[in-house]
Amino acid sequence: ALSLPAKVYFEVGSAAIGADSSKTLGAAADMIKKDALKVSVTGYTDKTGNQDANVELAKKRAVGVRDALKAAGVAEDRITMQPPIFVDIGKDGADAEARRVEIKAL
């Protein structure tokens, strides 16, 4: 079973929601509706490359997640969009963490 915060991961440079992410989003939407939750949606990015482009991509990903939740029947007033957050990528190669959107219960 899914628990919040749920993490939706993306490919490098992409805001496309893949099959695994779709499953995560479906489960999250079901939970939000069942428990009448309110959630925040936050895109994460890192500081490598063009920071403005990174922020735009993080925003696009977050909007994609919001739209997917709405498409799955979550009311828009249950979703709060948060500004993107920068993460430092460690030597452990956790760069996937910089390509995620998190859905958190409020």
Side-chain angles (χ1 to χ4, degrees):
L2 179 85
S3 62
L4 296 180
K7 295 180 180 183
V8 180
Y9 292 99
F10 292 84
E11 296 295 316
V12 176
S14 171
I17 291 170
D20 285 351
S21 297
S22 286
K23 281 186 202 139
T24 301
L25 283 163
D30 288 345
M31 196 158 103
I32 293 164
K33 289 185 289 188
K34 183 169 81 63
D35 299 335
L37 299 173
K38 291 199 171 204
V39 295
S40 65
V41 172
T42 309
Y44 288 76
T45 186
D46 62 45
K47 294 184 176 167
T48 57
N50 182 320
Q51 289 190 25
D52 290 340
N54 288 355
V55 166
E56 278 312 305
L57 186 55
K59 282 184 189 164
K60 267 196 196 124
R61 289 169 171 165
V63 166
V65 165
R66 179 194 67 196
D67 290 349
L69 290 174
K70 282 168 54 183
V74 177
E76 187 162 6
D77 63 7
R78 299 206 161 274
I79 307 166
T80 300
M81 301 299 285
Q82 299 291 357
I85 294 178
F86 280 105
V87 292
D88 287 319
I89 296 177
K91 290 192 197 106
D92 57 2
D95 54 345
E97 293 299 306
R99 299 194 308 274
R100 77 183 194 273
V101 171
E102 263 188 23
I103 305 165
K104 293 184 183 140
L106 290 174

